[in-house]
Amino acid sequence: MALGRAFIAYSFHHKIWDVPRSKQRVLDWSFLDEEEGPSTVAETSTPHLDPANALYDEFPLASDNSQIRLLQLKAGVGDDPVTCFLEVVNLEGCPEYDALSYVWGDPGVTDSITLHGKQHDVTINLYDALKRLRQSDKHRRLWIDALCINQGDIKEKEGQIGLMDKIYSRAKEVCMWLGE
């Protein structure tokens, strides 16, 4: 029997929290539903040596590794553009999120998403995962290493990698993506 295109996605359910859900801070993402207009993200005039990492300068993490970035994946279906936003949260008592574990794939084969209103290239495997994981009716908050960690900052990478056990264990769901 011949099979068409297939994908594998698997979820683990985790409910490990230090703070009761009723006391957690949930951010207001209603601005994502507004029609396109003036950006709600502050523009920065700071010159950057590496423009690919400039976005992360707008969302700095605490030097004590108490914070992480989460990705807000805007709702969409089919061929709708993949649109995302970042936020910085304290790891202790952070809002509910899902985490993605996936095969990065060939770094030379990419597609573009919109991250804070700007084109951002991601591997085709991540692009496919984002398209499959987004919901049609509501935004989804995710932790994805390739986007939530500044891959161009070795010190940040080392600190965030040390938090991965907490990041994954505190996720509501951990989705595994092996590709299409």
Side-chain angles (χ1 to χ4, degrees):
M1 173 196 291
L3 293 176
R5 291 176 49 157
F7 76 96
I8 298 172
Y10 191 84
S11 294
F12 301 91
H13 295 278
H14 295 284
K15 299 236 177 196
I16 301 172
W17 292 92
D18 296 330
V19 178
R21 288 267 183 241
S22 61
K23 294 186 179 186
Q24 289 185 15
R25 170 178 62 96
V26 177
L27 299 177
D28 177 15
W29 285 94
S30 60
F31 73 89
L32 293 175
D33 294 321
E34 297 172 1
E35 292 297 317
E36 295 296 323
S39 173
T40 58
V41 178
E43 293 295 324
T44 178
S45 60
T46 308
H48 301 284
L49 297 175
D50 185 356
N53 295 323
L55 176 65
Y56 296 100
D57 293 342
E58 298 176 35
F59 299 92
L61 298 175
S63 60
D64 64 358
N65 290 320
S66 62
Q67 296 178 321
I68 61 172
R69 289 184 196 92
L70 292 177
L71 183 84
Q72 186 74 16
L73 177 60
K74 191 171 181 179
V77 294
D79 289 331
D80 290 348
V82 176
T83 304
C84 308
F85 298 87
L86 289 173
E87 68 177 317
V88 175
V89 299
N90 290 323
L91 187 54
E92 301 297 325
C94 70
E96 192 172 273
Y97 65 93
D98 298 327
L100 175 64
S101 178
Y102 70 103
V103 177
W104 279 36
D106 184 346
V109 181
T110 63
D111 208 331
S112 292
I113 64 170
T114 302
L115 185 58
H116 281 283
K118 297 178 181 148
Q119 292 288 96
H120 187 85
D121 288 338
V122 297
T123 64
I124 195 70
N125 206 32
L126 178 53
Y127 180 81
D128 290 342
L130 289 169
K131 286 191 76 131
R132 291 280 188 163
L133 290 172
R134 68 181 169 178
Q135 298 170 337
S136 62
D137 60 338
K138 64 181 180 177
H139 309 307
R140 187 171 189 180
R141 185 178 275 126
L142 298 162
W143 184 85
I144 303 171
D145 56 357
L147 295 172
C148 295
I149 298 173
N150 181 352
Q151 300 299 317
D153 183 334
I154 294 170
K155 184 176 179 182
E156 179 179 308
K157 275 180 28 178
E158 289 173 350
Q160 293 288 293
I161 287 169
L163 297 175
M164 285 177 123
D165 61 331
K166 290 181 182 179
I167 292 168
Y168 281 109
S169 67
R170 293 176 186 195
K172 177 182 162 198
E173 287 185 348
V174 175
C175 304
M176 183 186 307
W177 179 264
L178 301 177
E180 297 237 13

